[in-house]
Amino acid sequence: EVAMPRRLPGRAAGTFADQRAVDVVHLHGAFNPSNTAMARSLRRPYVFSPHSGYDPVSLRRSRWRKLAYRALFERAMLERAALLVALTDVELHDLRRFGATAPAEVIPNGIEPPENDLDADAFRRELALPRDALLAVFVGRLDMHRKGLDVLVSGIAEAPTWHLALIGPRFRDVEGLERIVAGLTLGDRVHIVGERHGRRLQQSVYGADLFALTSRWEGMPMALLEALALAR
């Protein structure tokens, strides 16, 4: 497995793949100019994963720009693909509805089994919460619109016995989310704790009563599968 350098120009990507004798290139993400540029230059077969980019809700955002991009670039990239990879049957249906006719398979995400000696109280101690406090946890990029975090925070405002921990990198409109939290006076019940990995992330989810996912569109998020593996 070889990772291509980030933001590699399309023609250079083809040369890079040839020089490294890459057998198959895997492109990730819909409506990505670097992907469509690479697809035009690659002489090696490539696989494409849309990552929920053709979900109807996603397509409604910037609809006219996406329609133009589809006609000019996106459809050609899909048709040249050796294989299209969907995470779910629904995502495969979205690919076909978008007009993709290339061969396609549904290949779900897989996860590592969780550790079996996790401390269910560690995260609560970190947040200075009593053991009987109700705690919901979200894990993912902090993207207020796509992940529905405005809805989630509003729900916490209407559930005064609940706390919410938001775990993940700051990605888009976090300042707007923080303004909502401040406006609802939820500063003592909504905890933005940043990005976590490995055992520390597992303990954070394991210590919760509920894993919350309110995305406006999704594929098959790893965080959801990992929460299910932890019985949350």
Side-chain angles (χ1 to χ4, degrees), residues 13-51:
T15 301
F16 179 90
D18 289 340
Q19 290 173 343
R20 297 296 183 95
V22 171
D23 295 311
V24 178
V25 177
H26 195 171
L27 303 178
H28 295 265
F31 299 106
N32 185 325
S34 63
N35 280 344
T36 51
M38 281 191 282
R40 290 194 298 272
S41 70
L42 286 171
R43 292 169 289 277
R44 307 272 173 164
Y46 64 86
V47 174
F48 175 74
S49 297
H51 294 296

Side-chain angles (χ1 to χ4, degrees), residues 141-144 149 166 168-181 192:
R141 294 178 301 174
L142 301 189
D143 180 339
M144 184 170 71
L149 299 182
L166 301 174
R170 300 171 72 94
F171 184 72
R172 184 178 291 122
D173 203 15
V174 180
E175 294 78 11
L177 180 65
E178 290 171 333
R179 286 193 294 272
I180 293 175
V181 170
I192 300 177

Side-chain angles (χ1 to χ4, degrees), residues 6 82 174 202 220:
R6 290 194 175 196
V174 180
Q202 287 185 359
M220 180 183 283

